[in-house]
Amino acid sequence: MTNELMSVEQNITFEAKYTPAIIQISDYEKLKNIVSDYAAKYTGLTFTAEDVKGAKSVRAELRKAETVINDRRIEIKKEINKPLDEFERKIKDLTKIIKDTIAPIDNGIKEIEAAEKVEKQNKINEIIEELANNQNINSSRIAIDPKWMNKSTNEVTIRGAVAQQIESLLEIDEQKAKDTAFIKEYAEKRDLESAGWLTAYKNGSNLTEIINKIDKAVEQQKAKLAEELERQKAAEATVRAKEEAQKRAELVQSEGVQPTIDEVSAVSPMTEPPVYEQENVSEPIEAGLPTRTAIIEIEGTNDQLKALNSYMVSNNIKVKKHTCDGDQK
């Protein structure tokens, strides 16, 4: 095939006879002088606002002269180019014969190359499936390098590249499994459902972010429980205070006597020093009824003590503040 091409190349070489065109303008110097004199006629002219019409007329005359010269140039060039145009037409006819012959050959080559690409792609897919299945890796996770499609890239190179990707994926999966187990254990040890945290990890949050969020959730849960417990204790203390106050009132009403300290001191020891507000002092109960004075220790929140104070005041029970250990001064 090479010898034939060389022979064709030698046979197609051709010579073309041509005479370089000589273009001469008759009486060029005379023509140049005429054009120069014509232009000089208008050189250095000045115009005022009143002479605009005249200026436009001069400009038009000069442009007309320019057009006449340029049009003649085009006419002469067209005549000169006729042999060149004919030469180019003949060359195009020759190259068309060659191009028409090349077309089917080119199509055949492209079909062969396309088939080779399909075969190469199939081979790459087979390698990926084989190596991925051996390691229980989903083959769709393997990224195909476009360079693998090159003819210069052999099977050994492709296998090595695929194996390297699989090794990296196995390391990633192992780390994810460890992270998943850690998140599950970390959440459940703190009485939190792990499903939501595992979903967040699966969706892209890293281990550090998840742990920080779990810790924050635990703190929020503790604060909420403590707040709820405090509310519950306060409510229970309020109920007890009201019940005890009601008992004292009933006892006073039925027996005309004030209950003893032992009868009303059922609350737990103080954990913090109480905060007292200035109690109101009311008038004693109706004259003629027996009264008695008792000093009792009461534990409760500020709101509870206020409620108790209001109750005693509203029932005309005389209240007087005494200083106790731990009172705020």
Side-chain angles (χ1 to χ4, degrees), residues 7-249:
S7 176
V8 168
E9 186 179 86
Q10 292 171 354
N11 291 335
I12 289 181
T13 300
F14 64 94
E15 298 292 336
K17 293 181 180 181
Y18 66 95
T19 302
I22 298 175
I23 303 174
Q24 292 182 340
I25 299 177
S26 301
D27 298 324
Y28 173 73
E29 292 299 328
K30 180 180 177 180
L31 178 60
K32 183 177 181 181
N33 290 333
I34 293 174
V35 172
S36 298
D37 292 342
Y38 184 77
K41 219 166 73 168
Y42 301 103
T43 300
L45 294 180
T46 58
F47 300 93
T48 63
E50 290 78 10
D51 298 331
V52 170
K53 185 175 180 180
K56 290 182 178 180
S57 177
V58 170
R59 184 180 64 185
E61 285 296 324
L62 290 170
R63 285 179 174 174
K64 183 177 180 181
E66 179 186 9
T67 300
V68 169
I69 295 172
N70 197 51
D71 287 349
R72 183 55 181 157
R73 176 189 66 79
I74 293 172
E75 291 177 4
I76 294 172
K77 182 179 179 180
K78 186 175 180 181
E79 289 298 319
I80 293 173
N81 282 343
K82 280 184 178 180
L84 178 61
D85 293 341
E86 178 65 17
F87 169 76
E88 289 185 345
R89 183 190 65 76
K90 290 179 178 179
I91 293 300
K92 287 179 180 179
D93 288 343
L94 295 174
T95 55
K96 184 178 182 302
I97 296 172
I98 303 299
K99 286 181 178 180
D100 291 344
T101 306
I102 290 174
I105 298 173
D106 185 56
N107 291 336
I109 292 172
K110 289 178 178 178
E111 289 178 1
I112 294 171
E113 290 177 342
E116 289 176 346
K117 286 183 178 180
V118 171
E119 184 179 356
K120 186 69 175 286
Q121 185 65 67
N122 290 338
K123 185 61 179 178
I124 292 171
N125 292 339
E126 289 176 4
I127 293 172
I128 291 174
E129 289 293 335
E130 175 192 341
L131 299 182
N133 289 338
N134 289 342
Q135 298 294 337
N136 294 320
I137 291 290
N138 190 327
S139 60
S140 63
R141 298 174 65 187
I142 305 298
I144 296 178
D145 189 336
K147 293 179 181 179
W148 297 350
M149 293 295 295
N150 295 340
K151 289 184 177 180
S152 58
T153 306
N154 57 34
E155 182 176 339
V156 174
T157 300
I158 296 172
R159 283 183 173 275
V162 172
Q164 187 175 7
Q165 282 196 47
I166 291 174
E167 183 178 354
S168 298
L169 290 172
L170 288 173
E171 291 175 357
I172 292 172
D173 290 348
E174 183 180 1
Q175 186 60 52
K176 283 185 176 180
K178 290 179 180 178
D179 290 349
T180 298
F182 182 81
I183 291 170
K184 187 174 186 298
E185 180 181 3
Y186 196 83
E188 291 177 353
K189 280 185 176 181
R190 289 155 181 77
D191 296 324
L192 295 176
E193 178 61 42
S194 62
W197 307 111
L198 293 174
T199 299
Y201 176 74
K202 184 178 180 181
N203 291 338
S205 295
N206 61 45
L207 180 61
T208 302
E209 291 172 342
I210 297 297
I211 296 306
N212 290 338
K213 288 178 180 179
I214 291 176
D215 290 342
K216 185 175 180 180
V218 170
E219 291 301 321
Q220 291 174 344
Q221 187 180 62
K222 287 180 179 179
K224 185 177 180 181
L225 289 174
E227 184 180 351
E228 182 61 31
L229 182 60
E230 190 64 30
R231 282 199 300 267
Q232 184 178 351
K233 288 171 65 177
E236 291 174 352
T238 300
V239 170
R240 288 197 304 270
K242 289 182 178 180
E243 289 176 349
E244 294 300 330
Q246 183 64 31
K247 287 179 181 179
R248 290 198 303 274

Side-chain angles (χ1 to χ4, degrees), residues 270 272-274 276 297 322-329:
M270 296 287 284
E272 295 181 0
Y276 289 99
E297 182 178 335
H322 287 267
T323 303
C324 301
D325 292 339
D327 282 354
Q328 292 182 348
K329 297 181 180 179

Side-chain angles (χ1 to χ4, degrees), residues 289-302:
L289 294 178
T291 63
R292 62 175 292 184
T293 301
I295 298 176
I296 62 174
E297 182 178 335
I298 300 172
E299 177 185 0
T301 65
N302 285 339

Side-chain angles (χ1 to χ4, degrees), residues 238 241-242 302-312:
T238 300
K242 289 182 178 180
N302 285 339
D303 289 341
Q304 292 168 344
L305 294 177
K306 287 180 182 179
L308 179 57
N309 184 68
S310 297
Y311 175 81
M312 290 189 290

